[in-house]
Amino acid sequence: MKLYGSTLSANFRKVAAIALELEIDLHVNEVNVYQGDGQSAEYLAQNPLGQIPSLVDGDLVLRESNAIALYLAEKYGNNPIYSNDFAQRAHINQWLFWESSQWQPMLSEVMGAVVGHVLLPAVLPAPENSPAWDADKCLKQLTFLEQHLSTGWVAGETLTIADFAVGAMTTYFSRCQFPFELYPNITRWCNALHTRTSWANTQHTLWR
Ligand SMILES: N[C@@H](CCC(=O)N[C@@H](CS)C(=O)NCC(=O)O)C(=O)O
């Protein structure tokens, strides 16, 4: 099994950490999309969008980090981070869909300029303004997650793939002046995630 991407990317880190949690022996092929690697003919043949991550398992070629996360969790069933109970699975999946449809788009918009500058300082100038963490669309999603995380993990009492999915974009929080002090539950959860070796070991030094 081969995973393509770079730990510079939150979506790659999401999948790489899940693979570590599941103790999957996969080969990582470095594709630095920020330096144009995603636009090579070879990579575009595999992922026409030129994005990371992508996974190759035999004849299966898969893109979309949450789809890859689910594939790994289902293939390596009977694992603690993806329940065998249908109702609990539905609950976990609900958070994966929220992550890709609401959480990540909102965070991409608010953090994009800073993240772009950190990745490509010679090309993208530092933004004049700090990320607008107090914008209405941020407050709505952040308040929602903050209230939800008063105890436990994203999908309940145990760590699941939903934590890695929702946690992925928090990779950029420190460099984007996220107001941790205003969100104690999110902060507690971020810290708890960092106690996982899988999460700590997939953090790129750029995002510390
Ligand atoms: N929805 C996709 C998003 C993938 C994505 O946007 N990846 C970024 C890195 S985090 C990328 O490859 N960007 C380069 C590009 O879009 O050209 C997923 O979850 O895998």
Side-chain angles (χ1 to χ4, degrees), residues 6 8-15 31-34 38-39 43 47 49-54 63-68 99-100 104 108 119 169 172:
S6 162
L8 287 166
S9 145
N11 284 313
F12 175 86
R13 184 188 187 191
K14 175 195 298 182
V15 175
V31 177
N32 186 338
V33 285
Y34 312 108
Q39 298 305 311
Y43 192 70
N47 184 343
L49 295 174
Q51 294 180 329
I52 56 171
S54 57
R63 56 188 164 69
E64 289 299 326
S65 56
N66 287 341
I68 296 171
E99 190 274 336
S100 60
Q104 183 161 162
S108 297
L119 286 165
M169 291 296 278
Y172 307 135

Side-chain angles (χ1 to χ4, degrees), residues 119-138:
L119 286 165
L120 296 168
V123 181
L124 299 170
E128 287 178 11
N129 301 318
S130 302
W133 290 112
D134 57 353
D136 285 350
K137 64 179 96 174
C138 290

Side-chain angles (χ1 to χ4, degrees), residues 22 64 66 69 123 134 140-141 148 161 186 190 192:
L22 296 173
E64 289 299 326
N66 287 341
V123 181
D134 57 353
K140 180 179 175 185
Q141 303 297 347
H148 175 74
I161 59 171
I186 292 176
C190 284

Side-chain angles (χ1 to χ4, degrees), residues 14 64 66 93-109 141 144 166:
K14 175 195 298 182
E64 289 299 326
N66 287 341
N93 296 348
Q94 167 183 268
W95 285 100
L96 300 191
F97 283 99
W98 174 76
E99 190 274 336
S100 60
S101 65
Q102 301 195 60
W103 179 241
Q104 183 161 162
M106 178 277 285
L107 291 175
S108 297
E109 200 177 319
Q141 303 297 347
F144 169 60
V166 177

Side-chain angles (χ1 to χ4, degrees), residues 46 73 90 104 112 117 208:
Q46 179 176 307
Q104 183 161 162
H117 172 65
R208 284 199 183 132

